[in-house]
Amino acid sequence: QQQVKQSPQSLIVQKGGISIINCAYENTAFDYFPWYQQFPGKGPALLIAIRPDVSEKKEGRFTISFNKSAKQFSLHIMDSQPGDSATYFCAASIGSGNTGKLIFGQGTTLQVKP
Amino acid sequence: GAVVSQHPSWVICKSGTSVKIECRSLDFQATTMFWYRQFPKQSLMLMATSNEGSKATYEQGVEKDKFLINHASLTLSTLTVTSAHPEDSSFYICSATGRVGYTFGSGTRLTVV
């Protein structure tokens, strides 16, 4: 019940296209859902996060869509660029985003072709 | 913004020796710090949670005597890998939380030879 399932494992998108990564969870006590971007040899960096009282959040080219009833959330990267090529992780936690431990999805390796 | 400094960024040690990794929150007080381990092409696996002044809480399957965690102040936590073996080779990442949410260090690549 503590798992967060992420798909796809890898994704190849043409420059300018839309990248979509999906996550699903079981524990309804989760109340904070961030997405992280990680480059090789670096720590994860927060991209965008959402709480369950909101169905969508947009920041620049990045959008989170959240479906509370389906217990799913997704990351959309609009106008994907080669610089977006990285590994993306969804995560979930309990504790309003600054206290509980983060449970990570399995990760998605994104390659954006020029 | 919140910054977490993690050192060293990489370390090579001989089998049987101990290695200490430091994680510092530079511009905020970290009430809680988390330590993760990441194998190549895999996700981050939480090893332990530490609160300042308290004993760390380890995740199931993590040897507390092998991975010693100290969180002596609100800005510093250390992870010591004791009697390291080649199977301990991995990427270790810390994360600190405070009023600004989670901030991750840049990670430490440990290679045990």
Side-chain angles (χ1 to χ4, degrees), chain A residues 13-28:
Chain A
V13 172
Q14 292 293 325
K15 178 182 176 182
I18 302 174
S19 303
I20 302 175
I21 305 171
N22 301 297
C23 283
Y25 64 97
E26 289 295 325
N27 191 345
T28 55

Side-chain angles (χ1 to χ4, degrees), chain A residues 56-69:
Chain A
E56 185 175 282
K57 184 175 181 180
K58 182 176 181 179
E59 288 184 3
R61 296 186 294 111
F62 302 96
T63 300
I64 297 181
S65 296
F66 186 83
N67 187 328
K68 189 174 181 178
S69 61

Side-chain angles (χ1 to χ4, degrees), chain B residues 11-111:
Chain B
V11 58
I12 301 174
C13 72
K14 291 185 177 180
S15 186
T17 62
S18 296
V19 173
K20 180 183 286 188
I21 302 169
E22 287 191 352
C23 181
R24 292 180 183 272
S25 56
L26 297 185
D27 49 3
F28 68 100
Q29 292 185 328
T31 52
T32 304
M33 287 192 176
F34 303 92
W35 287 94
Y36 293 86
R37 183 174 182 176
Q38 186 178 33
F39 290 108
K41 299 189 183 302
Q42 293 190 21
S43 187
L44 285 78
M45 297 302 296
L46 180 65
M47 298 174 66
T49 302
S50 73
N51 294 294
E52 184 263 339
S54 303
K55 288 186 178 180
T57 301
Y58 291 81
E59 295 297 302
Q60 191 173 8
V62 178
E63 299 175 60
K64 62 177 68 175
D65 294 331
K66 181 168 190 60
F67 299 100
L68 301 178
I69 292 172
N70 183 280
H71 192 166
S73 76
L74 283 171
T75 60
L76 174 64
S77 177
T78 60
L79 167 67
T80 301
V81 182
T82 63
S83 187
H85 288 93
E87 57 265 31
D88 298 324
S89 299
S90 190
F91 192 55
Y92 294 87
I93 309 170
C94 69
S95 173
T97 69
R99 57 179 176 80
V100 294
Y102 304 92
T103 303
F104 284 82
S106 55
T108 297
R109 171 74 59 195
L110 170 63
T111 302

Side-chain angles (χ1 to χ4, degrees), chain A residues 40-60:
Chain A
K42 301 295 184 183
L46 179 66
L47 269 179
I48 186 172
I50 199 168
R51 300 187 192 282
D53 54 344
V54 178
S55 61
E56 185 175 282
K57 184 175 181 180
K58 182 176 181 179
E59 288 184 3

